[in-house]
Every structure is written in C-alpha cells, then in structure tokens.
Amino acid sequence: MTNGTRTALATALLLAVTAIPTSAVAAPEAAHIEGRLPSGATYLMDVPADWNGTVLLFSHGYRPMGAPNPAQNAPDDTTKALLLDRGYALIGSSYASSGWAVTDAVPDQLATLSVFKDRFGTARRTIAWGQSYGGLVTTAIAERAARRIDGSLAMCGLVHGGVANWNNTLDPVFAVRTLLAPDTDVPLTGFEDQAEATAAAGTLTAAADAAQKTTTGRARLALAAALHNIPVWNDPSQTRPAATDWEAQQANQFPALRGLIQLPAFSWRQEAETRAGGNMSWNTGVDYARLLGQSSVRKEVTELYKKAGLSLGKDLATLNKAPRISADASAMAWMSRTSAFTGKLTKPQLDIHTTGDALVPVQTESALKRAVTAAGSAPMLRQAYTDNAGHCTFSPAEQLSALHTLEDRLTTGRWTGTDPDSLNSRAAKADPTTPARYVPYRPAPYPRPYDLAHPADGR
C-alpha cells in the first residue's frame, strides 16, 4: 500500500467518524435501583443521568411494629422530584425492623451508603438527612460515623435522644393518671405485652375524654399537655387561637394529648421496652412545679385553673407527692448507650423544626444545643425554625433552602445565611410554588434533658 493510499484511507476514516450524528452517542441514563441488604432491610436508590456528585442519605421516620416498612430515599415526592431535577443522588433504606430500631437503622443506612459507593463510585459529597425519628438516626450517624459523611440535616428530629424522649413521654400520662384517674391502677411502664399496653391506653383515654367535658377536667388536661410542651396550634387544619383565648388553645391541644396517650405513651413504649429489656424511664426526683414553670404554655394553664376555681399549687403538690416510677438500670443503660447523644459533632449539622410540633416538640432543639455546647461543638451546629403547625410540615422550598444552606457551609467552611430572611429568600428561589416560613425563634428549655455530655443527668 502506497503512502498516498494510506493517507486517503485515513482521511476517509476520519470523515466517517466525524460524520456520526451526535444522537448516536450513548448518553448516561438515570438509574432507579431497589435491593436488599444482608440484614433483610430493603434499599432504594435514584441517580439522575446528570448526577452532580452529591449523594443524600435519607433516614425515614418512626414506623410502628406491624406497619408497612418500605425503603424511602426522600421526605416527599415533590421534594424528591426537585432534587433529582437538580442532579442529586437519593438513597435510603427501610431499616431491618420497625419500631425503636436505632440499632438496625444506623448500620443499615451505612450499608446502603456502601452499596451505593460500590455501584456508582465515591461521591464528591455525602450528606445525611432525615426527619422525625430519622432525625435521631441522622444525628447518631453524625456522631458515630462522621468519617462517612460531610454534613447532616435533621428535620423535626428527636434530637434530644431516646432517654429524654421516654422520660418526657412519661410525664403527661403520669399527670393524667394522678389527677384524673387516681383510683385506677393502670400501669404506665413495664407492660407484659401490647395487649396490656393497649388496655392501659384505653383506660387513660376514657379518663381524658370524660375530663374534657368539664372546666376542671380541661384545666388538668392543659397541665398534662404543658408538661410535654404541646403547642396551642399544632395541626395545620386548626384555627390559630388568639394569644389569650385559653379555651381555644386547650381545645387545640386535646387531640394531640389524646393521640400521645393512645400510641407513643403506651403502644410505642411497650415496643421500646421490649428492645431495652425493661422500663428505661423514670420520674423519681422530678419537681413538676419546676417543669411547669419552664413550659412554653404555662400561662394558659394558670388561666384555666383560675377559671375553673382550682388550686394549681394543690394539684402540683399532689403530683409531687404521688408514688414515683423508677427505671430498670439495665434498660436505661441500653437506651443511653444506643439512643443518647454525646454532643460531639465533628461535621456541620443544620436542624430545622416547626414551632407547632406536638409529637416532637420544638424544645428538643434546646436539648441538643445544650449537649453540643457542653461538648464544645457549638460551632458545628445551627438551628432554624418555621412558623407552622404540625409535625414535619415543611414545604419543599423550606427543605431545599436548608439543604443549600448546609451545602454552603460545606463549601465555604463557615455558616452564612442561617437567618430567617436569608433562608426564606433561598426557599423562594428553590421552589416559588410552596411556602417559605422561617422566623426568628428561641425554644424554651427542654423539660427533661438527658445527654452524655452531662454526667449528672439522672445517673
């Protein structure tokens, strides 16, 4: 073959290659993957074709035993679509069990992250985020597996930890039993099984329903609600009551208090006690007058007592004199070891919370701040609040705003834009179709804090 022939063939080949239409070049495809971990947990991954290099590890909220437990990788469908459109990879697991499943949830989430890395390679950035009970899981990951993530976002989270949660869940039902069902021997802890827990819940629910029909009963129910800091506007369907409309405030609190009695205080507690091996909470040494004094709704209680002609001091004395409940030492140790926080954050964490949350009251944020401050990690934590009723009732815009603010912290090395105006401006840009309601807010102290940064907390 002559040199001229070779040149002609090379030229023809080059022209043929450059003439291939661009549509014939394979483009990256979006991936949707479902699978199962060795633990039995399922996982879910969505990776857009134009992945931006950031993976978001989502931890879902509490699911009672027996309820469906699918894998979840985003808080809601609208937020999920917005994130995928912006190039984020979304992953998450079901956890191997439901209920108080922190000992399954943390390793299953980390295992899901490993599966993602094996399939798609190392992410440029990894952010753990979660809502409700998933906020507890997220914060546990932030403390125990910080090397696996770059930052964390806890939304409406149980960031006060398990011991504090179960202690403060005990307080309102202790008040209901003592003041409204004093002649019953209904157990508040140490249930043999779900049947006993359900029966106990039924007894106190009936007592609460009867009390709601009288002015004296409503005053005492308001006291019980105040011990849990149940907000006076806690459901988006409710009318927001006026600042001095005490009756409307209590009427709004009652369904939330009733719901607390029916599920968390009994059924969910029994499941958690089974895991812990006994009762993990106590009210020995608790001064209920002091707890009421710290409550965000104490004024409502004092006014309703006045209207009912009751002595608040006498009822508080009755609570303080009533036989107390002690924790089982080994159960409490298990809950402390698995579900309490040290406050040691080595990577940035942003928390957001609605001000009108009855299930996980906004005061839980005070408990986490207390722990983080004592541990010397305060520069790593920022907290922001939205003015809305309900548990985890954030708009997609509010969630994206928080995520982008955390991302800025990871990029620049300093916190900026965590004030309400900046968060709302960023939310409006992220999704102008949904609300932006960040407000200046400082929650009251959490009534029964417990963390591993304070050795004297109940130990």
Side-chain angles (χ1 to χ4, degrees), residues 25-296:
V25 177
E29 294 184 357
H32 173 83
I33 300 169
E34 299 180 26
R36 186 174 298 275
L37 299 171
S39 67
T42 58
Y43 61 79
L44 177 64
M45 300 181 182
D46 285 290
V47 183
D50 55 347
W51 179 34
N52 64 15
T54 296
V55 59
L56 305 180
L57 175 65
F58 182 75
S59 297
H60 68 71
Y62 183 90
R63 292 173 181 165
M65 292 294 291
N69 188 32
Q72 185 176 344
N73 64 358
D76 59 80
D77 289 342
T78 301
T79 302
K80 179 174 182 174
L82 289 167
L83 289 169
L84 290 173
D85 186 59
R86 287 159 172 77
Y88 294 91
L90 309 178
I91 67 175
S93 76
S94 63
Y95 320 151
S97 63
S98 52
W100 195 264
V102 65
T103 52
D104 291 326
V106 171
D108 285 339
Q109 288 292 83
L110 296 176
T112 300
L113 192 57
S114 295
V115 172
F116 177 85
K117 180 180 178 181
D118 291 343
R119 181 141 188 171
F120 296 98
T122 301
R124 177 180 58 85
R125 178 176 286 169
T126 300
I127 295 174
W129 67 322
Q131 63 178 190
S132 191
Y133 184 79
L136 182 147
V137 175
T138 295
T139 305
I141 291 172
E143 285 200 354
R144 303 173 195 174
R147 64 182 181 82
R148 302 289 303 276
I149 64 172
D150 296 290
S152 50
L153 171 60
M155 304 181 293
C156 52
L158 283 80
V159 293
H160 51 329
V163 176
N165 176 77
W166 292 113
N167 272 346
N168 196 227
T169 302
L170 177 63
D171 293 326
V173 291
F174 180 78
V176 170
R177 186 184 70 174
T178 302
L179 299 177
L180 299 174
D183 297 326
T184 67
D185 59 354
V186 57
L188 303 181
T189 63
F191 310 109
E192 290 291 331
D193 50 29
Q194 275 289 312
E196 184 178 26
T198 300
T203 299
L204 285 200
T205 299
D209 287 346
Q212 185 64 13
K213 298 175 182 178
T214 69
T215 56
T216 58
R218 289 192 291 272
R220 286 170 170 153
L221 289 168
L223 171 56
L227 297 177
H228 196 64
N229 277 302
I230 292 177
V232 298
W233 182 51
N234 58 75
D235 187 312
S237 67
Q238 295 173 340
T239 299
R240 192 168 194 166
T244 59
D245 191 345
W246 316 116
E247 292 80 5
Q249 292 177 18
Q250 192 278 327
N252 280 357
Q253 288 173 316
F254 180 64
L257 177 62
R258 194 176 190 274
L260 182 104
I261 295 170
Q262 289 183 308
L263 288 174
F266 291 95
S267 176
W268 298 359
R269 172 185 287 278
Q270 191 275 333
E271 189 276 334
E273 286 186 350
T274 299
R275 288 182 184 268
N279 170 37
M280 59 281 176
S281 56
W282 69 91
N283 66 352
T284 50
V286 173
D287 181 348
Y288 283 103
R290 184 185 67 81
L291 289 195
L292 177 62
Q294 295 180 155
S295 176
S296 59

Side-chain angles (χ1 to χ4, degrees), residues 348-408:
Q349 176 161 315
L350 175 62
D351 284 9
I352 61 174
H353 220 114
T354 57
T355 59
D357 191 338
L359 184 61
V360 184
V362 67
Q363 289 76 23
T364 60
E365 299 295 340
S366 295
L368 179 62
K369 186 174 182 179
R370 171 182 181 264
V372 168
T373 300
S377 303
M380 289 294 170
L381 178 69
R382 289 295 184 273
Q383 296 162 307
Y385 306 95
T386 63
D387 183 35
N388 195 30
H391 179 53
C392 302
T393 52
F394 304 110
S395 70
E398 291 162 348
Q399 293 174 103
L400 265 64
S401 174
L403 173 63
H404 296 331
T405 300
L406 174 62
E407 288 180 297
D408 275 0

